[in-house]
Amino acid sequence: MRVRSVMTAAVTGAALLAVAGCGSGDGGDDKPFAGKSADRIAADAVKATEQADSMHMKGTVRPSGSAGSPGAAVTVDLSVDQRKNCAGTIRTGGADADVRHTDATMYLRGDEEYWRNALKKQPGGDKIVPEVADKWVKTPADDAMVQGLCDKQGLVASMDENKSERTGMKKGSTTTVDGAEAIRLTKKTASGETLTLYVATKGKPYILRTTSSGGKDPNTTTFSDYGKPVRPQAPADGETVDLKELAAAAQKA
């Protein structure tokens, strides 16, 4: 199980399924999970993370269905909850944007490069870029360009897209992730890549970190702040511009 670094501007995904795997090669210090296979622990961790009311994630994810070109790598540093409130930053193709979603409205404050990438297929997009760069851009949350970006379930589903990656895992020793104790679950793929899942040993078995190493796409994603309220503030009216209005004006010009 891992988080891959293929993303554009939105995140979608199917609901997670808890897979009851048959444990293989279990060993190490697994006292908090005595009697459970590594695969069972991994499945329980995915389910707990899915059910968490909120979380913070920092790393790379793999969404689908976006307005940009498929395959663009996106790094996220994002707090999000089940009600799709979110706040944080995204980085794709060397471009950055701040993100806030509240009251069914998405606000994006991207730099010039971000908007050039986002609007390159939009009629009149080159005329819109100077009007939106470094400003808070207001857009309905169901707009195709941003739909799913603050979907917590979609973010978690993107991580668990290939469920076979979390079967056949092995228990390792306990360690700490940002001060929280975790059990290390590992798997080596046929291609020589090592996948590691760190699961909290205290409280609910939340995922604390995922890593992949030794392959073409090494990455690390860390999860924290489970259950912490996400309360983004909408920018003041005078600080926002409306993308739909600007697009309509650009097409008339």
Side-chain angles (χ1 to χ4, degrees):
M1 178 175 181
R2 57 182 160 184
V3 176
R4 297 176 185 269
S5 59
V6 193
M7 179 178 184
T8 47
V11 182
T12 59
L16 290 164
L17 300 176
V19 176
C22 4
S24 62
D26 295 342
D29 179 10
D30 64 346
K31 187 175 180 180
F33 299 105
K36 285 191 175 183
S37 70
D39 289 358
R40 182 70 260 170
I41 296 169
D44 288 348
V46 172
K47 186 174 181 179
T49 301
E50 178 197 22
Q51 294 177 344
D53 186 64
S54 62
M55 68 181 188
H56 179 88
M57 68 179 297
K58 185 175 183 179
T60 51
V61 294
R62 183 186 204 181
S64 61
S66 67
S69 58
V74 173
T75 300
V76 300
D77 188 344
L78 194 69
S79 293
V80 61
D81 68 15
Q82 296 279 34
R83 291 163 294 283
K84 299 186 179 180
N85 294 309
C86 77
T89 61
I90 58 175
R91 180 176 178 81
T92 175
D96 298 287
D98 297 317
V99 179
R100 294 182 193 174
H101 178 244
T102 184
D103 296 329
T105 302
M106 179 72 77
Y107 301 91
L108 288 172
R109 183 172 61 188
D111 57 18
E112 183 174 335
E113 185 65 20
Y114 176 87
W115 287 111
R116 287 201 182 282
N117 292 336
L119 298 173
K120 60 185 177 183
K121 294 184 179 180
Q122 170 78 34
D126 56 334
K127 298 177 182 178
I128 302 174
V129 171
E131 302 294 327
V132 295
D134 300 316
K135 298 182 179 68
W136 283 109
V137 175
K138 180 179 178 180
T139 184
D142 60 356
D143 188 279
M145 188 174 71
V146 296
Q147 190 173 26
L149 180 59
C150 290
D151 179 0
K152 174 183 171 290
Q153 300 305 78
L155 286 165
V156 180
S158 72
M159 175 181 62
D160 198 43
E161 188 174 45
N162 184 353
K163 293 171 180 59
S164 68
E165 292 178 344
R166 59 173 166 88
T167 60
M169 303 195 86
K170 296 182 179 181
K171 294 180 187 176
S173 59
T174 55
T175 184
T176 58
V177 176
D178 293 338
E181 186 179 273
I183 187 171
R184 185 189 287 110
L185 308 177
T186 61
K187 175 179 180 177
K188 193 144 189 175
T189 68
S191 63
E193 187 175 14
T194 299
L195 310 180
T196 308
L197 181 66
Y198 298 81
V199 180
T201 63
K202 297 179 181 179
K204 294 185 179 181
Y206 293 131
I207 296 170
L208 300 182
R209 179 170 292 163
T210 67
T211 69
S212 66
S213 60
K216 295 180 180 179
D217 184 28
N219 64 75
T220 297
T221 301
T222 301
F223 302 82
S224 60
D225 293 343
Y226 284 103
K228 185 175 181 179
V230 181
R231 295 170 180 158
Q233 296 295 311
D237 289 342
E239 298 176 354
T240 65
V241 294
D242 191 300
L243 184 59
K244 286 188 176 296
E245 291 180 1
L246 291 172
Q251 291 184 40
K252 290 179 181 178

